Amino acid sequence: MDPGFTAEQDGIRRTLRELLHKRCGPEELRAALETPLGHDPALWAALAERLGLPGLALPEAYGGVGCPVTDLALAAEETGRVLAPSPLLATSVLSAPLILGLGTDAQRADLLPRISAGTLTAALAVPAPALVTALALTGPQDGDWAGGGRAGGIQARRVQGAWRLYGEAAQVLDGHSAGALVVAAHTGGFVRSRTLLFVVPGDAVGLVRTRQTALDATRPQARVQLRDVRAELLGSEEEASGVPEALSRAGDFAAAFLACEAVGAAGRALERTVEYLGRREQFGRVIGSFQAVQHRLADVYVQIQAARSAAYYAAWAAGGPGGPDGLAGPDGRAGGLALAQALEALRRAAAEGIQLHGGIGFTWEHEAHLFFKRAAGDELLFGPVHRLRAHAAEGARLFERTEVSV
């Protein structure tokens, strides 16, 4: 692993930081959260036109930039710094890799160029709370998480040669505004039980989408109801056995992306706290001059730096050789471990920021609570931290007893 950034990576990060500084300040962030979409479409268009961010890790044949997925994960550190609300995670991290890895040539040619251009957003619809199970972040993909049995989840059946979906998925990231949904559904009954992925247009007949109130408003979520909705199978039935592996690879990359994003948010939360303590006076001195306060900030800084190193390694590992879409890195546990460490660092930085800001830090008017909610919200969606670590330890057989012959 080369610990330095390439010139292209430095350029992407620098340009992205400049753009977000101009277009996603605290006031713009709050205004975007109040819109029906939950994000600023003008900012999303600028990210697509100036940087090609939605298609950064997609092949040039589909209108993408053709960069490795490592570059997209590293770019997430900059979006995390400002808690930028955008469909990037749902579209380019959770959905596009599945379309690229499993879709037919016709599906790729139809969906990926529009995703690269930023004109189409997508969302992965998995019955709640099975997202972490589907992505294999906190445990194996055991059980009928897509909705097995006679009721519950999402069911798929073939009617007169066409696939029809019925059921419900909650906590779908950007599911209320996505132009296309990648839906995980259970099919085959009890004899040939399996999970398939389907593509559903956002305007499909029978599709009902409702935005939900989320703990972290910067990650809009929706409840998606499918009432006998016509759907197109992603890929072919013959390749259905590859669905779990594709989801697992996407999950490892998503974990690396989220880890970098959390590190960026933690770093910015610490910066804001240090800035405040450098000008706030108490007992005739600036608060930042007190040794006890400095020790607390130093501990947070060390934790963030350790998390940043883990996140960078996970980003590099996600871009290593492996599957046809390049998502299977040399260390499949790197993403989950990095995410656990990054979420802990963000939670610590945000909590210390609220405490050290004093009374103003506890108010809705201050941005400190947004960083804390990002840490708590991500842990609810993709954790918890102890299960991320436990799954990685199990995969590494860390606690297995081995017999030693003397």
Side-chain angles (χ1 to χ4, degrees):
M1 172 184 176
D2 184 357
F5 295 126
T6 65
E8 290 79 7
Q9 290 168 345
D10 279 330
I12 292 171
R13 288 158 59 91
R14 182 175 59 255
T15 305
L16 182 55
R17 179 175 293 198
E18 292 172 355
L19 177 60
L20 292 174
H21 178 73
K22 296 177 182 178
R23 303 287 295 269
C24 195
E27 294 183 1
E28 291 83 359
L29 171 62
R30 291 180 180 275
L33 298 182
E34 297 298 325
T35 63
L37 292 177
H39 69 269
D40 182 4
L43 174 61
W44 179 246
L47 292 174
E49 294 170 2
R50 290 189 54 182
L51 287 172
L53 196 61
L56 189 65
L58 291 176
E60 295 181 20
Y62 299 113
V65 180
C67 292
V69 295
T70 299
D71 292 3
L72 180 58
L74 293 175
E77 186 174 356
E78 300 304 323
T79 62
R81 281 178 56 85
V82 296
L83 302 178
S86 78
L88 184 64
L89 173 61
T91 300
S92 301
V93 179
L94 295 177
S95 302
L98 296 174
I99 297 171
L100 178 62
L102 297 174
T104 63
D105 291 340
Q107 289 170 334
R108 294 175 184 174
D110 175 39
L111 299 172
L112 294 181
R114 291 188 287 155
I115 288 177
S116 298
T119 57
L120 176 69
T121 59
L124 175 61
V126 174
L131 181 59
V132 291
T133 302
L135 299 177
L137 289 176
T138 59
Q141 295 166 322
D142 292 337
D144 295 322
W145 51 265
R150 299 171 185 239
I154 301 176
Q155 308 291 318
R157 61 181 178 180
R158 196 193 295 272
V159 180
Q160 296 179 350
W163 286 100
R164 315 290 297 193
L165 304 182
Y166 59 99
E168 179 179 284
Q171 298 178 322
V172 179
L173 293 173
D174 290 291
H176 62 295
S177 60
L181 296 174
V182 178
V183 182
H186 176 272
T187 186
F190 295 98
V191 179
R192 297 182 59 201
S193 175
R194 56 182 174 167
T195 297
L196 298 176
L197 296 180
F198 299 85
V199 178
V200 177
D203 58 355
V205 177
L207 180 65
V208 179
R209 303 185 289 175
T210 307
R211 183 176 176 182
Q212 295 177 294
T213 301
L215 172 64
D216 178 14
T218 64
R219 289 214 195 281
Q221 300 176 26
R223 181 182 301 277
V224 175
Q225 295 177 313
L226 301 117
R227 302 173 180 177
D228 198 25
V229 174
R230 185 186 180 95
E232 179 183 1
L233 179 66
L234 182 63
S236 63
E237 289 190 63
E238 291 73 18
E239 298 175 349
S241 59
V243 169
E245 182 183 355
L247 286 167
S248 180
R249 292 199 305 269
D252 192 54
F253 171 52
F257 178 94
L258 290 164
C260 289
E261 199 176 53
V263 163
R268 182 53 183 156
L270 179 60
E271 288 175 10
R272 291 179 59 84
T273 303
V274 171
E275 292 169 1
Y276 176 77
L277 297 180
R279 63 176 183 269
R280 178 75 167 88
E281 293 188 2
Q282 189 70 34
F283 306 113
R285 295 170 56 185
V286 293
I287 298 176
S289 66
F290 292 104
Q291 192 175 54
V293 173
Q294 293 173 357
H295 286 172
R296 292 171 67 173
L297 294 176
D299 288 342
V300 174
Y301 176 79
V302 170
Q303 190 171 3
I304 292 175
Q305 290 301 103
R308 179 173 281 115
S309 296
Y312 287 173
Y313 175 77
W316 170 80
D325 50 9
L327 287 183
D331 186 353
R333 299 176 296 275
L337 286 173
L339 179 57
Q341 194 159 352
L343 289 178
E344 277 194 337
L346 175 54
R347 186 172 55 191
R348 174 81 178 277
E352 290 286 10
I354 291 174
Q355 290 286 336
L356 294 175
H357 270 86
I360 188 64
F362 287 85
T363 65
W364 294 114
E365 290 76 17
H366 201 273
E367 288 78 29
H369 70 94
L370 294 177
F371 289 92
F372 190 84
K373 288 179 177 179
R374 168 61 67 88
D378 276 2
E379 189 168 355
L380 287 173
L381 282 171
F382 303 102
V385 165
H386 71 274
R387 291 188 61 188
L388 288 167
R389 288 200 172 110
H391 180 49
E394 182 179 354
R397 300 181 177 179
L398 191 61
F399 300 114
E400 284 190 7
R401 177 180 296 179
T402 56
E403 299 292 338
V404 179
S405 58
V406 180

